[in-house]
């Protein structure tokens, strides 16, 4: 492995991989790319470049946005499922990383264990992007923040309410609050809190930070939503947790985002959901389809934020 290349390349495995200025840069570049696309198309900045996309988890938004994004920037994306490549026959992730690095300019991995993307990044000379793991979902939260700022201006210093499972989205919102500077209040049942390691690291960083930011855990969803600028949630049962579905539905009673919960937030608060949504479980149809919901713009913005990520990692810009 070429160690010189390995040390200089960048990866996006978590939002902790971004400085505050890089965070802002990606949001600003996404806005420019979106404007360019709507007014005639993007310049082919990634002409001749390729993205390898490894999917061990099913996907709609991640697959389509990365594939279309590479196409719009003049590059090519390759969909690689385990049954189509040697990972499905037991090849080590480290070996796949070193081989794929000889062929493609970046690698996106959507999988279960976060250690897999860390292994890929360690052994790959090409930049690696976390398309989702059970621990973190950085591309989605970047798109969510981009969507908020498109609608309401800077999120910095504002209040975000997370209601429901302390899952990979909640973990990533914690990292975002620390990195980008806003107030996050998370309401979960006691047995479904965010990852303790993520929380500990965030508290340590906030204790020495001067940013207008905080991370607070509560049990009461209304306390989280009170005067919030953004209310967001996710399904109660994620991929790989299907056997827990009945227990989870019982545990999350009272954590549904409905009209009453949205009424506790600011009158112009936005509602977000990373999708897919289960109407009648974590959110009512009235909220999901209501005037405060921006879930469809949020989904579209995965395309624009991911194009900015690809340019930054592949071109170093």
């Amino acid at each position: 492995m070429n160690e010189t290349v390995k040390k200089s390349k960048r990866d996006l495995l978590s939002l902790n991989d971004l400085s505050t200025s890089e965070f802002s840069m990606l949001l600003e570049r996404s806005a420019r790319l979106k404007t360019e696309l709507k007014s005639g198309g993007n310049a082919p900045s990634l002409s001749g470049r390729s993205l390898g996309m490894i999917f061990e988890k099913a996907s709609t938004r991640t697959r389509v946005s990365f594939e279309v994004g590479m196409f719009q920037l003049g590059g090519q994306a390759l969909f690689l499922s385990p049954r189509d490549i040697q990972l499905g026959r037991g090849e080590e992730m480290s070996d796949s990383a070193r081989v794929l690095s000889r062929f493609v300019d970046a690698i996106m991995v959507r999988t279960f264990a976060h250690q897999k993307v860390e292994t890929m990044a360690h052994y790959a000379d090409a930049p690696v992007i976390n398309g989702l793991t059970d621990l973190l979902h950085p591309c989605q939260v970047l798109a969510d923040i981009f969507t908020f700022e498109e609608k309401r201006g800077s999120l910095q210093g504002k209040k975000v309410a997370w209601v429901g499972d302390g899952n990979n989205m909640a973990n990533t919102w914690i990292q975002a609050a620390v990195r980008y500077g806003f107030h996050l209040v998370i309401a979960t049942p006691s047995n479904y809190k965010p990852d303790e390691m993520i929380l500990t690291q965030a508290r340590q960083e906030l204790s020495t930070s001067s940013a207008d930011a905080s991370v607070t855990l509560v049990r009461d969803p209304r306390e989280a939503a009170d005067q919030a600028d953004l209310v967001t949630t996710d399904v109660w049962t994620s991929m790989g947790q299907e056997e827990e579905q009945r227990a989870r539905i019982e545990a999350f009673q009272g954590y549904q985002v409905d009209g009453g919960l949205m009424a506790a937030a600011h009158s112009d608060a936005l509602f977000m959901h990373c999708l897919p949504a289960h109407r009648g479980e974590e959110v009512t149809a009235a909220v999901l389809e209501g005037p405060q919901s921006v879930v469809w713009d949020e989904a579209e913005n995965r395309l624009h934020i991911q194009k900015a990520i690809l340019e930054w990692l592949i071109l170093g810009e």
Side-chain angles (χ1 to χ4, degrees), residues 23-306:
F23 212 116
S24 298
M25 176 274 296
L26 288 174
L27 296 174
E28 292 166 6
R29 181 58 180 157
S30 300
R32 290 198 298 273
L33 286 165
K34 185 172 184 176
T35 299
E36 290 171 9
L37 182 65
K38 303 291 185 183
S39 62
N42 297 130
S45 59
L46 297 181
S47 177
R49 305 300 185 106
S50 295
L51 170 69
M53 305 187 301
I54 297 174
F55 283 89
E56 293 189 324
K57 275 191 175 185
S59 168
T60 298
R61 283 149 290 276
T62 299
R63 178 179 177 179
V64 176
S65 56
F66 270 113
E67 193 160 336
V68 172
M70 280 298 289
F71 173 78
Q72 290 178 351
L73 294 175
Q76 177 188 28
L78 299 95
F79 174 76
L80 308 171
S81 75
R83 63 180 174 272
D84 298 325
I85 59 176
Q86 296 300 332
L87 278 174
R89 297 181 63 244
E91 182 172 62
E92 296 287 341
M93 185 69 80
S94 58
D95 294 347
S96 291
R98 286 178 282 199
V99 170
L100 288 174
S101 293
R102 304 296 180 101
F103 298 138
V104 300
D105 298 283
I107 302 167
M108 189 283 299
V109 183
R110 181 179 171 93
T111 187
F112 293 89
H114 190 74
Q115 185 180 4
K116 288 189 174 183
V117 295
E118 293 180 332
T119 298
M120 177 65 74
H122 179 77
Y123 286 97
D125 289 340
V128 174
I129 302 167
N130 176 4
L132 174 143
T133 66
D134 286 345
L135 184 66
L136 295 169
H137 199 358
C139 296
Q140 180 66 59
V141 172
L142 281 168
D144 293 355
I145 294 173
F146 172 46
T147 305
F148 183 92
E149 299 205 338
E150 189 177 48
K151 305 291 184 182
R152 295 288 187 267
S154 178
L155 185 62
Q156 291 177 315
K158 300 289 180 62
K159 179 180 178 181
V160 175
W162 174 267
V163 177
D165 190 17
N167 63 8
N168 52 4
M169 284 293 294
N171 293 334
T172 310
W173 274 109
I174 291 169
Q175 292 184 338
V178 175
R179 278 286 168 275
Y180 197 56
F182 55 86
H183 301 281
L184 176 65
V185 183
I186 298 174
T188 68
S190 59
N191 292 334
Y192 295 92
K193 294 178 182 178
D195 183 82
E196 192 59 42
M197 180 184 68
I198 299 285
L199 282 168
T200 298
Q201 184 177 10
R203 288 164 177 155
Q204 289 173 347
E205 291 192 47
L206 287 170
S207 69
T208 60
S209 172
S210 60
D212 187 13
S214 62
V215 175
T216 305
L217 266 59
V218 300
R219 290 284 301 279
D220 183 359
R222 289 184 179 272
E223 182 179 350
D226 182 48
Q227 299 301 301
D229 299 285
L230 169 62
V231 178
T232 184
T233 190
D234 193 5
V235 295
W236 293 339
T237 306
S238 298
M239 284 180 284
Q241 299 172 336
E242 288 79 8
E243 293 182 359
E244 305 173 27
Q245 185 170 9
R246 181 173 296 180
R248 283 175 167 271
I249 288 175
E250 292 178 4
F252 287 104
Q253 293 305 304
Y255 286 84
Q256 182 184 78
V257 180
D258 57 16
L261 192 66
M262 290 301 298
H266 282 308
S267 59
D268 66 344
L270 299 179
F271 170 75
M272 291 187 189
H273 190 306
C274 61
L275 301 177
H278 295 165
R279 293 166 174 81
E281 288 188 15
E282 74 276 2
V283 61
T284 62
V287 170
L288 188 73
E289 304 287 358
Q292 291 173 278
S293 173
V294 291
V295 297
W296 316 118
D297 294 324
E298 178 188 3
E300 177 195 340
N301 284 337
R302 289 289 301 278
L303 172 65
H304 310 299
I305 200 78
Q306 279 155 198

